[in-house]
Amino acid sequence: MKAILPGTPGDTVKPVVLGEAPEPEPAAHEAVVAVEAFSVNRGETFQLDGGLDRRWAGWRPGKDVAGTVIRAAADGSGPASGTRVVAHPPAYGWAERVAVATTDLAELPDTVDAVTAAALPLAGITALRLLRTAGPLPGRRVLITGASGGVGHYVTELAAASGAAVTAVTATAERGAKLLELGAAELVTSVEDAAGPYDVVLESVGGASLPAALAKLSPGGLLVWFGQASREPVTLNFFDFFKGANQARIAHFDYTTSDAAYGQDLAALVRLVAGGRLHPEIGVIRGWARTADAIADLRGRRVRGNAVLTVG
């Protein structure tokens, strides 16, 4: 079958190539999905760069897919053949077909198309689990950095809908314009311009952004560190932290550490989209032969929201 294969690490021109890969060999609890669309995540671009471990020999990218089940799981779990689904496999999804555990997929109604669904998994699941980590939000002030990506759009809309006053930090006002439509109370282009204090800070940039955001916490506030988009190390002076807001806290977040399977969160995201309460922001839609171009746009921060590729 055809699949997107990793290129040479560090190759900025051809980080991936379209080639041939073996057909998936599903375990008993896995369904085989014919992929119609997939999205590209920044973490996958780091893996392609060689900046993150590729984790296993033969690794191929692909964590966010939407398509149709063409082979139901042998153990009888999950949807029947012919069912439209969105799925979050650990890898291998940038291909014509992929095997996915039935606990990590959700059925799609006719009202949610494959392109929209493909933008949901990693960014949407991360947003849901981030907000659960943050706790109840009605009436609270929330600051989110790096807000123009897929996670930032979902967090902003969901947090604002729950009653939070959200301040979004983006590199430019143009990249953040949609966030105001989704309910952000304020948009700034640097953490320093944010008028704290904030009850919750969701930090995804790293580098100088984290200590600057930490200084904006209110007493008893919580900073959740969930990314390092700048790829710059963080230097934190804990003496400054101790002199800051009383009883403030820092928590490191990884969406994969939850014991819950992804399927339940995917089903929740699908319900929100189908009900008109969540609006994925898709900045790029291309045929999968142009996956390398989409990766270049993500690296150059030219994509607002998600980048989705269609297969076939």
Side-chain angles (χ1 to χ4, degrees):
M1 69 173 179
K2 294 189 180 300
I4 301 293
L5 310 177
T8 302
D11 188 337
T12 58
V13 178
K14 290 186 176 180
V16 294
V17 294
L18 183 61
E20 294 291 328
E23 289 285 349
E25 298 181 1
H29 67 289
E30 293 179 325
V32 177
V33 176
V35 179
E36 298 171 24
F38 62 82
S39 66
V40 180
N41 295 296
R42 189 169 296 278
E44 290 168 316
T45 71
F46 295 152
Q47 286 179 284
L48 290 167
D49 286 339
L52 294 175
D53 291 339
R54 297 197 179 187
R55 299 199 296 175
W56 55 77
W59 173 85
R60 288 186 282 112
K63 296 172 71 69
D64 289 5
V65 304
T68 302
V69 174
I70 58 172
R71 181 175 171 184
D75 66 0
S77 64
S81 180
T83 304
R84 298 178 60 247
V85 296
V86 58
H88 191 47
Y92 305 120
W94 298 1
E96 290 181 304
R97 291 169 288 280
V98 63
V100 187
T102 56
T103 54
D104 294 334
L105 53 77
E107 297 186 22
L108 291 175
D110 292 339
T111 54
V112 180
D113 62 82
V115 169
T116 300
L120 290 174
L122 189 146
I125 293 168
T126 298
L128 285 180
R129 296 183 176 187
L130 264 176
L131 294 175
R132 291 179 192 136
T133 300
L137 292 179
R140 304 178 80 188
R141 302 192 71 211
V142 177
L143 176 71
I144 178 167
T145 66
S148 63
V151 175
H153 280 82
Y154 291 136
V155 165
T156 297
E157 185 168 18
L158 293 171
S162 71
V166 179
T167 296
V169 185
T170 62
T172 66
E174 180 182 8
R175 285 178 61 82
K178 183 69 174 181
L179 297 168
L180 294 173
E181 297 178 26
L182 295 176
E186 183 182 22
L187 179 69
V188 296
T189 55
S190 73
V191 176
E192 288 75 11
D193 292 337
Y198 295 94
D199 303 296
V200 177
V201 171
L202 304 175
E203 215 295 299
S204 66
V205 177
S209 177
L210 192 150
L214 187 61
K216 302 289 184 176
L217 275 180
S218 62
L222 171 67
L223 182 145
V224 183
W225 184 13
F226 72 98
Q228 197 170 349
S230 70
R231 310 307 292 165
E232 296 177 359
V234 173
T235 300
L236 185 61
N237 185 332
F238 271 89
F239 287 103
D240 290 340
F241 177 53
F242 295 145
K243 289 187 293 185
N246 187 37
Q247 300 296 315
R249 297 166 291 149
I250 302 175
H252 178 251
F253 172 88
D254 182 342
Y255 86 103
T256 66
T257 57
S258 170
D259 292 334
Y262 300 127
Q264 292 180 354
D265 284 342
L266 285 173
L269 292 164
V270 170
R271 286 195 300 271
L272 288 167
V273 172
R277 292 178 289 164
L278 186 66
H279 302 82
E281 177 69 7
I282 302 174
V284 166
I285 304 173
R286 293 188 176 130
W288 71 330
R290 297 187 63 192
T291 301
D293 295 336
I295 291 171
D297 287 340
L298 280 170
R299 288 170 170 163
R301 299 187 180 278
R302 294 186 291 273
V303 178
R304 187 174 68 183
N306 293 85
V308 176
L309 290 302
T310 56
V311 177

